[in-house]
Amino acid sequence: DADVTQTPRNRITKTGKRIMLECSQTKGHDRMYWYRQDPGLGLRLIYYSFDVKDINKGEISDGYSVSRQAQAKFSLSLESAIPNQTALYFCATSDPGQVVEKLFFGSGTQLSVL
Amino acid sequence: GQQLNQSPQSMFIQEGEDVSMNCTSSSIFNTWLWYKQDPGEGPVLLIALYKAGELTSNGRLTAQFGITRKDSFLNISASIPSDVGIYFCAGQSSGGSNYKLTFGKGTLLTVNP
């Protein structure tokens, strides 16, 4: 089983709909992240959480919200989806106790907003 | 915010050839990281570099932390088809509670058998 699991793997939705992307991890890491990948733009940070009571905005948080339901669960919501939110979304975790903050990524959720 | 310039954007090579890619920044980083993303998967860490001038190898991969701390290089020797994917550099400006990891835009590598 994957250490970082994202659901769903693919999602097609319509403009204006509310959707939630979910992430769960079995690595026992306190830190969790949501990234967005667009072709030619690399990985951009949406939100991150260092523990259950901590939520921080990343560089592109507008139009998104997150919820850290437990140490192992971190969900990303699009309250009213728009076409330019079509992208590949990744959840990641890390352990701050390591010398370098190595990120462990899930397999991604491909979201299409029509 | 900080930006990384990663080049080239894409490469098409023949199996057996060597590959070089690099990242440059206007800012200093304390750590440089190189990730690889296989098709349909999330990125996986290949190499981490901790200090200026450091040269680190991982099999056929070799990466270097630039002396100025503003650049890093990744070389792949004797490429094989499974090297196909997107390679990302990432720079970390500080650790602990001051999280700051910046990714490059990636280099798409295609290897022709």
Side-chain angles (χ1 to χ4, degrees), chain A:
Chain A
D1 290 339
D3 295 320
V4 183
T5 303
Q6 292 184 234
T7 56
R9 288 297 308 270
N10 292 281
R11 178 74 182 268
I12 298 174
T13 191
K14 295 183 179 180
T15 298
K17 295 291 187 180
R18 181 183 188 278
I19 70 163
M20 179 182 293
L21 309 183
E22 300 192 26
C23 176
S24 63
Q25 52 115 346
T26 58
K27 300 193 72 66
H29 290 166
D30 286 329
R31 297 187 174 188
M32 298 188 73
Y33 312 82
W34 276 103
Y35 282 89
R36 167 177 173 164
Q37 183 180 16
D38 298 276
L41 295 180
L43 294 162
R44 294 182 291 170
L45 183 63
I46 305 172
Y47 271 95
Y48 62 102
S49 168
F50 281 176
D51 63 42
V52 174
K53 298 180 180 180
D54 177 73
I55 300 290
N56 303 283
K57 292 183 177 181
E59 58 183 299
I60 55 165
S61 59
D62 288 348
Y64 302 94
S65 63
V66 291
S67 175
R68 185 79 185 267
Q69 300 94 326
Q71 186 205 40
K73 296 184 181 297
F74 192 36
S75 60
L76 176 71
S77 294
L78 287 68
E79 296 301 325
S80 180
I82 57 177
N84 75 3
Q85 291 177 312
T86 294
L88 182 56
Y89 290 85
F90 285 105
C91 174
T93 73
S94 72
D95 178 3
Q98 299 297 310
V99 173
V100 62
E101 193 126 11
K102 177 179 177 179
L103 292 178
F104 294 86
F105 287 86
S107 296
T109 294
Q110 178 63 56
L111 175 65
S112 298
V113 183
L114 305 179

Side-chain angles (χ1 to χ4, degrees), chain B residues 1-2 4 15 24 27 33 37 41 45-46 58 79 85 87 93 97 101 103:
Chain B
Q2 296 172 316
L4 294 182
E15 183 176 0
T24 61
S27 303
L33 306 160
Q37 182 182 16
E41 298 296 331
L45 183 66
L46 296 174
N58 178 5
S79 60
Y87 292 78
S93 55
S97 61
L101 185 65
F103 280 89

Side-chain angles (χ1 to χ4, degrees), chain A residues 36-43 88 90 105 110, chain B residues 6-11 19 21 23 33-46 61 74 76 81-90 103-111:
Chain A
R36 167 177 173 164
Q37 183 180 16
D38 298 276
L41 295 180
L43 294 162
L88 182 56
F90 285 105
F105 287 86
Q110 178 63 56
Chain B
Q6 186 172 350
S7 65
Q9 288 187 337
S10 62
M11 303 181 73
V19 173
M21 60 191 76
C23 272
L33 306 160
W34 285 92
Y35 284 82
K36 182 195 177 191
Q37 182 182 16
D38 287 326
E41 298 296 331
V44 175
L45 183 66
L46 296 174
L61 277 61
L74 177 69
I76 305 172
S82 63
D83 290 334
V84 165
I86 303 176
Y87 292 78
F88 292 102
C89 63
F103 280 89
K105 295 182 178 180
T107 295
L108 174 61
L109 178 63
T110 302
V111 180

